[in-house]
Amino acid sequence: MTIELKDVCLNAEPAWNPLSLCAEEGKVTSIVAPAGTGKTRLALAILGLAPIASGCISYDGALLTPKSAPFLRQYTAYVPQQLPPDIDSATTILRDVASRQKQVVIVDAPSFHSPEETTEAVKLLRQMESDGATIVLFCQPNHPLLQQLPSVSHSITTRK
């Protein structure tokens, strides 16, 4: 499932320029930006859980709207930056997501406790990628997953 963003702004005065990108099936698209620039909010907007100020988001050409969002979310999985208290690792969520074979996987700046967890996360993401999932990875520069995953990267340039 292809996700397309056209001139998306999160609020009237975004920290970054309007974002346009196409996240394709069977690929990892990384959105890389410093802390505090709206990565999590953009991830939630792609899921239809946060509003955008302008632009549009579509899934395989179907416009994401408040009405279509619940339907489109059934094809997606989300790995949040802030884990629920009963889950100790983003890798635990990734294992579950891989077993459910979702078409779209949104991964929001996950943190790992060890290099072994990072290696397992890479294996799981590569498996989902080879199964044809569209993966959108939100992270800061130098995140350990960036060095290990082949990806199409989009950097968000912040305004000073």
Side-chain angles (χ1 to χ4, degrees):
M1 186 171 285
T2 299
I3 300 173
E4 189 170 1
L5 283 69
K6 286 188 180 179
D7 298 325
V8 170
C9 286
L10 298 179
N11 52 43
E13 293 188 32
W16 38 271
N17 293 325
L19 181 62
S20 295
L21 66 89
C22 185
E24 298 176 12
E25 268 180 51
K27 292 189 178 177
V28 176
T29 300
S30 302
I31 299 177
V32 182
T37 55
K39 294 182 302 294
T40 295
R41 187 151 176 236
L42 181 59
L44 294 174
I46 291 172
L47 292 164
L49 297 171
I52 58 174
S54 62
C56 63
I57 300 170
S58 62
Y59 282 61
D60 276 349
L63 192 61
L64 179 66
T65 65
K67 193 171 189 168
S68 69
F71 173 76
L72 293 171
R73 273 196 303 272
Q74 71 183 334
Y75 300 101
T76 66
Y78 178 56
V79 180
Q81 183 174 11
Q82 296 296 321
L83 299 176
D86 59 330
I87 297 183
D88 63 342
S89 168
T91 309
T92 303
I93 297 174
L94 284 170
R95 276 189 224 110
D96 179 59
V97 169
S99 72
R100 292 187 288 139
Q101 298 183 334
K102 293 292 188 173
Q103 292 180 24
V104 174
V105 181
I106 308 294
V107 183
D108 185 11
S111 57
F112 303 104
H113 303 296
S114 69
E116 293 78 21
E117 279 189 19
T118 303
T119 299
E120 183 181 358
V122 168
K123 285 174 140 176
L124 291 164
L125 289 166
R126 283 189 173 147
Q127 174 192 333
M128 289 183 266
E129 182 182 34
S130 69
D131 289 343
T134 302
I135 301 168
V136 184
L137 170 65
F138 292 84
C139 58
Q140 293 182 28
N142 301 317
H143 191 281
L145 289 180
L146 287 177
Q147 281 89 46
Q148 297 185 43
L149 281 172
S151 67
V152 178
S153 292
H154 295 274
S155 293
I156 298 172
T157 304
T158 59
R159 294 183 183 166
K160 299 204 180 218

